[in-house]
Amino acid sequence: MNLAPLTQRFVLHFGEMGSRWGINRTVGQIYALLYVSPRALNADDIGEALAFSRSNVSMGLKELQSWNLVRLQHLPNDRREYFQAPEDVWAIFRTLAEERRKREIDPTLSMLRDALMEQPSAPDDIHAQARMKQMHDLIELMTGWLADVQKMDSATLVSLMKMGAKVQKLLEVKDKVASTMKAGLTGRAAAPKLVEPPAAVPEENNRS
């Protein structure tokens, strides 16, 4: 199985970039190949295309399976296992985000929650705990947003991404409206009350 020039360039680049993202170069190249392949591939196909040993291919596929980034398939009258990447790129994004949350963010949040339960007495620890609180609140806000994103379908995600700077403008308008309403309410509360004129005295009382 020989790779076409464009495919080969993508696979090699993805392997190099993968190593910078904390992914093994071999795993990165295997995934890149599965991503652009028009059909499911077995371990022999992958090893031949990338010139990898069977053991390297096997370890790479196990790593990708642990990340839920590849699907295992079986073909009729073929005992070999075939692998394919999800076709929906947004499904890949959601899977990566979820797996990174479980592996990297959740342990950090757990440590920060434990740290915030402490009652430090040393000034340095009090300062450190305050900084940890800021980090905890930011991470929790981001994970909450990510959880909401995970529930969206692909079409909604595309629409959200395309909004871009429009979201910021919308928030600016909201803040201006809120400020205007607050100023109006404050001015109304501070306005002096009108003094009502004294009630007219009935003529009968005046005659008496």
Side-chain angles (χ1 to χ4, degrees):
M1 178 181 179
N2 295 322
L3 297 181
L6 183 60
T7 300
Q8 185 177 46
R9 200 165 73 203
F10 174 75
V11 168
L12 292 175
H13 176 76
F14 206 90
E16 294 301 321
M17 290 304 299
S19 63
R20 300 179 188 182
W21 300 333
I23 302 172
N24 181 282
R25 183 178 64 87
T26 300
V27 174
Q29 289 191 11
I30 292 174
Y31 189 72
L33 176 63
L34 292 173
Y35 177 76
V36 297
S37 175
R39 60 184 178 84
L41 303 176
N42 59 46
D44 292 333
D45 294 331
I46 297 169
E48 180 185 349
L50 302 177
F52 289 165
S53 67
R54 182 62 184 266
S55 60
N56 281 344
V57 172
S58 178
M59 288 189 293
L61 289 172
K62 286 180 180 177
E63 177 71 12
L64 291 171
Q65 284 180 290
S66 73
W67 280 81
N68 294 316
L69 287 173
V70 294
R71 294 195 303 261
L72 175 63
Q73 298 180 8
H74 288 92
L75 301 182
N77 302 319
D78 193 334
R79 298 179 60 183
R80 293 174 297 181
E81 295 179 334
Y82 286 79
F83 299 87
Q84 192 168 31
E87 295 182 1
D88 184 357
V89 69
W90 291 104
I92 297 171
F93 166 77
R94 285 192 290 265
T95 300
L96 274 173
E98 176 64 15
E99 289 298 323
R100 283 200 171 274
R101 182 189 64 78
K102 291 191 294 187
R103 296 165 184 249
E104 301 169 12
I105 298 176
D106 284 357
T108 302
L109 266 180
S110 179
M111 178 272 160
L112 289 171
R113 288 184 185 122
D114 290 343
L116 294 178
M117 295 293 290
E118 301 279 341
Q119 298 293 330
S121 56
D124 286 353
D125 276 350
I126 294 174
H127 173 77
Q129 190 182 58
R131 297 286 286 167
M132 292 178 198
K133 177 70 166 57
Q134 294 176 356
M135 181 180 291
H136 168 272
D137 292 348
L138 174 62
I139 295 176
E140 201 160 60
L141 181 64
M142 292 176 62
T143 53
W145 176 83
L146 186 59
D148 291 338
V149 169
Q150 293 285 73
K151 299 172 186 175
M152 298 178 186
D153 56 44
S154 298
T156 304
L157 275 171
V158 171
S159 299
L160 178 64
M161 292 297 182
K162 285 183 177 180
M163 289 181 71
K166 294 179 183 177
V167 176
Q168 182 179 351
K169 291 180 181 178
L170 181 63
L171 292 175
E172 289 174 355
V173 171
K174 179 189 72 93
D175 291 340
K176 287 180 181 178
V177 171
S179 298
T180 303
M181 292 180 64
K182 184 177 180 181
L185 290 173
T186 303
R188 193 179 303 172
K193 293 183 179 180
L194 296 176
V195 178
E196 295 183 2
V201 180
E203 292 184 5
E204 291 79 2
N205 293 342
N206 290 338
R207 292 172 184 170
S208 62

